[in-house]
Amino acid sequence: MAAQRANPNAEVMGRQAAIFMNVNAAKGLYDVLRTNLGPRGTIKMLVGGAGDVKLTKDGNVLLREMQIQNPTAVMIARTAVAQDDVTGDGTTSTVLLIGELMKQAERYLNEGVHPRVLCDGFEVAKKCALEYLESVKRPINATTDGPADAVDRESLLCVARTSLRTKVHEKLADMLAPIVTDACLCVRQPGMPLDLYMIETLYMRQKLDMDTSLVKGLVLDHGSRHPDMKQHARNCWILTCNISLEYEKSEVNSGFFYSNADQREKLAKAERKYTDDRVEKVIELKRKVCTDPDMNFVVINQKGIDPFSLDMLAKEGIIALRRAKKRNMERLVLACGGRAINSVEELQPEVLGYAGLVYEHELGDDKFTFVEETRNPQSCTVLVKGSNDYVIAQTKEAIRDGLRAVKNVFDDGAVVSGAGCFEIGCERYIMEKGRKMASGKAKLGVEAFATAMLVVPKALCDNSGLDAQECVIKAQEAHEAGVASGIDLVSGEPMDPTVTGVYDNFKVKQQILFSAPVIASQLLLVDEVIRAGHNMRK
């Protein structure tokens, strides 16, 4: 072979062996992830080298955590993981479509059809599928502009519920759907893209996963550091600051020489006075704004507060939290109002935020500070609860995917019918229109693509214990009768997804149709696999 003439040490795999390897790798990943798809999919247990266990049915987590050695399988896994990075969902569907395209192509390759002809057919079918996707998308009113009342919350709930049911059990998914929907509506700002970083996801190892809740405010994972400070306060002014309220050493090497104890005392007082003056300015502001005895004052500082300063603040009835995380400073301002300040010269009543309730909650050795009842919160916290780490990790992953699903609706302004409805309709559309657009043997590639589109509804039926062929044929007959139908995974009968509220993200479907055929075509066009010893990552 040419490669071996150039490098006698090169290991070369011929065309038939290369295609065989690629098809088998795609089918291997396909078989692993197929049983996970849909609300009734099974769960995989991942066991680490140290014996740690992770339970999940999320394709993204599986592909990231599994040790995959086959280079083709690694390529497919990276494509699917990139799908999750872009859209937040659709990982398992991407792997299944690539695997099914390779399986369908294998039939024709065994009959002597050239891979290039099949790839031309894939390209025609892909254009048809994207056309069909554009034609069946259902616009909904979900934008960041205008009042919150104008947003179609019910459709957002349906999308969130559909996504969450594929990650966790039905009862928990139905409980989490309003939480992720309301969280997205809370951080929505007119004219701005939805920023999911303004939604904090915090966990507490207690109670059950069904006790997970949404706090329209902020939950900080630490408490005050003084025993005399209040642990429960109402009507609180919130000062968000990044000011050092502790003794700091000078940045340059310096020394101070004294000859008696009085001079030393003066030095200590002078050093202390610098910090005390800053604390006094905070206390002055508190006295200025807290004219009513029922009013309280809370300082949340990104930098440190030393014990002497804490003592001064506690005597004034001020609640002080130090070393707040940087990411929470922006969230605090959005949740409570006001603005974060970096120097005591900026201390004015206008910089203060407001919270109706601030309280501390202790859980074992951990302390949590809740900032609630804010006037116009634009940041919030999803408080995940669970009895063990497995439940908490699974719930957090589901919430992440649910938030991304709702965000995609805001970005797209449209949804697509789920439950296999889109795939069954797309297969029919490609068969009717795609075959006319293609010529010659390329029609075989179009047929292979159309048949591969049915992998999703078939997998959904198989995972539900139904007869996949029978259910898909019934749904196809409903489409032919003019009724766009998906598959009811309980009865196996055709059903209208728009009535039951089963919606998928438009962006997810679009991304799958863009990426899966490209990867499948590239793998089919491989005619040699050469291992020459060079590190290809360089």
Side-chain angles (χ1 to χ4, degrees):
M1 292 185 184
Q4 285 179 324
R5 286 199 295 270
N7 179 2
N9 297 322
E11 295 176 27
V12 180
M13 195 179 287
R15 177 180 164 186
Q16 290 298 325
I19 290 178
F20 179 78
M21 183 192 80
N22 289 344
V23 170
N24 277 355
K27 283 158 70 175
L29 267 186
Y30 166 93
D31 289 336
V32 170
L33 295 187
R34 180 184 172 93
T35 54
N36 290 9
L37 186 72
R40 310 193 74 174
T42 53
I43 294 174
K44 296 284 189 290
M45 179 187 285
L46 295 171
V47 182
D52 47 322
V53 175
K54 180 175 273 191
L55 299 170
T56 185
K57 60 188 287 194
D58 187 345
N60 177 49
V61 176
L62 279 171
L63 293 174
R64 286 182 188 273
E65 301 281 348
M66 281 195 309
Q67 292 184 358
I68 303 171
Q69 294 182 338
N70 185 290
T72 306
V74 169
M75 183 179 175
I76 296 171
R78 284 178 181 164
T79 304
V81 168
Q83 159 87 20
D84 187 88
D85 293 339
V86 173
T87 64
D89 207 351
T91 317
T92 306
S93 300
T94 302
V95 172
L96 293 192
L97 184 54
I98 293 172
E100 189 65 20
L101 284 169
M102 298 296 282
K103 281 176 73 175
Q104 294 298 325
E106 187 183 24
R107 285 173 40 218
Y108 294 110
L109 292 173
N110 291 337
E111 294 172 7
V113 180
H114 195 279
R116 171 56 68 188
V117 177
L118 292 176
C119 294
D120 291 343
F122 284 178
E123 194 61 33
V124 172
K126 183 176 91 170
K127 289 178 182 175
C128 284
L130 290 169
E131 276 178 26
Y132 180 73
L133 180 65
E134 285 288 343
S135 67
V136 298
K137 71 178 182 182
R138 178 174 177 266
I140 64 169
N141 187 10
T143 64
T144 54
D145 297 321
D149 297 340
V151 176
D152 186 353
R153 183 175 180 273
E154 191 57 40
S155 293
L156 294 178
L157 270 172
C158 291
V159 172
R161 194 181 300 116
T162 304
S163 175
L164 288 165
R165 281 185 177 181
T166 64
K167 315 295 180 206
V168 290
H169 61 87
E170 186 176 322
K171 193 175 179 184
L172 178 59
D174 292 348
M175 190 274 295
L176 291 176
I179 290 176
V180 297
T181 303
D182 291 339
C184 289
L185 291 173
C186 178
V187 300
R188 166 183 173 273
Q189 295 186 51
M192 300 281 287
L194 208 64
D195 187 1
L196 296 183
Y197 284 106
M198 292 303 105
I199 302 172
E200 169 85 341
T201 304
L202 202 68
Y203 73 90
M204 294 173 73
R205 198 176 289 105
Q206 66 161 173
K207 299 185 179 179
L208 301 173
D209 51 6
M210 294 299 293
D211 295 307
T212 298
S213 60
L214 174 67
V215 177
K216 288 196 175 179
L218 213 63
V219 182
L220 306 171
D221 55 358
H222 54 89
S224 60
R225 289 288 186 269
H226 196 283
D228 295 340
M229 285 184 178
K230 296 178 183 176
Q231 293 191 335
H232 191 283
R234 287 199 166 274
N235 301 324
C236 304
W237 292 108
I238 309 291
L239 173 63
T240 308
C241 57
N242 184 24
I243 302 169
S244 177
L245 298 178
E246 61 185 344
Y247 167 69
E248 292 181 358
K249 291 182 179 179
S250 59
E251 293 182 5
V252 295
N253 290 326
S254 58
F256 183 82
F257 299 94
Y258 52 88
S259 55
N260 55 50
D262 287 342
Q263 290 179 350
R264 185 184 177 286
E265 286 295 318
K266 286 180 182 178
L267 164 67
K269 283 181 181 177
E271 286 182 330
R272 187 70 236 165
K273 185 175 183 301
Y274 176 76
T275 305
D276 289 351
D277 286 349
R278 289 181 161 199
V279 178
E280 283 295 338
K281 287 184 179 179
V282 174
I283 292 172
E284 278 177 33
L285 180 63
K286 184 259 179 185
R287 290 171 179 164
K288 186 175 180 182
V289 296
C290 294
T291 52
D292 191 320
D294 294 333
M295 298 295 292
N296 287 286
F297 199 86
V298 179
V299 176
I300 300 176
N301 192 14
Q302 189 177 334
K303 290 184 178 175
I305 307 175
D306 63 23
F308 294 107
S309 302
L310 283 171
D311 200 48
M312 291 173 68
L313 294 170
K315 285 176 181 175
E316 283 293 324
I318 296 173
I319 301 171
L321 283 78
R322 63 186 181 187
R323 309 283 182 206
K325 290 185 175 70
K326 185 179 180 181
R327 69 172 188 268
N328 283 333
M329 304 309 282
E330 188 178 351
R331 290 179 180 142
L332 268 168
V333 171
L334 287 170
C336 305
R339 61 185 172 88
I341 61 169
N342 294 305
S343 68
V344 289
E345 283 73 26
E346 298 176 65
L347 284 171
Q348 298 292 333
E350 296 79 37
V351 305
L352 299 177
Y354 175 84
L357 176 64
V358 176
Y359 65 95
E360 194 175 290
H361 177 83
E362 287 191 28
L363 181 63
D365 294 333
D366 298 325
K367 289 183 179 181
F368 297 88
T369 302
F370 287 71
V371 182
E372 296 184 33
E373 296 180 18
T374 52
R375 285 171 178 162
N376 185 25
Q378 291 183 321
S379 179
C380 58
T381 304
V382 179
L383 195 60
V384 179
K385 295 184 181 180
S387 53
N388 55 58
D389 291 337
Y390 310 128
V391 172
I392 290 170
Q394 198 174 14
T395 308
K396 283 175 73 175
E397 286 160 9
I399 288 170
R400 172 191 171 277
D401 288 346
L403 291 171
R404 290 291 297 272
V406 176
K407 181 182 185 297
N408 288 339
V409 180
F410 277 100
D411 293 343
D412 301 334
V415 291
V416 180
S417 297
C421 177
F422 164 73
E423 286 80 8
I424 294 168
C426 187
E427 183 261 350
R428 182 165 172 263
Y429 184 83
I430 292 171
M431 281 295 200
E432 288 178 358
K433 188 172 181 184
R435 281 179 59 82
K436 295 175 184 175
M437 291 172 63
S439 59
K441 287 185 180 180
K443 291 180 188 291
L444 300 176
V446 173
E447 287 177 13
F449 192 102
T451 308
M453 287 301 296
L454 296 177
V455 66
V456 171
K458 285 180 180 177
L460 290 172
C461 295
D462 285 338
N463 295 343
S464 303
L466 302 169
D467 185 333
Q469 295 289 353
E470 184 183 354
C471 295
V472 170
I473 288 170
K474 284 181 181 177
Q476 286 175 321
E477 288 170 351
H479 275 265
E480 287 167 7
V483 182
S485 301
I487 299 170
D488 187 326
L489 298 183
V490 177
S491 65
E493 296 298 317
M495 62 92 173
D496 186 352
T498 58
V499 175
T500 54
V502 181
Y503 293 120
D504 288 331
N505 283 130
F506 171 80
K507 182 186 283 186
V508 173
K509 296 293 184 190
Q510 187 183 51
Q511 188 67 23
I512 291 170
L513 292 174
F514 272 126
S515 60
V518 173
I519 296 299
S521 297
Q522 287 178 343
L523 293 176
L524 288 173
L525 292 173
V526 172
D527 66 347
E528 280 187 343
V529 177
I530 305 168
R531 189 195 296 273
H534 287 289
N535 186 353
M536 298 191 329
R537 292 197 185 107
K538 288 182 180 177

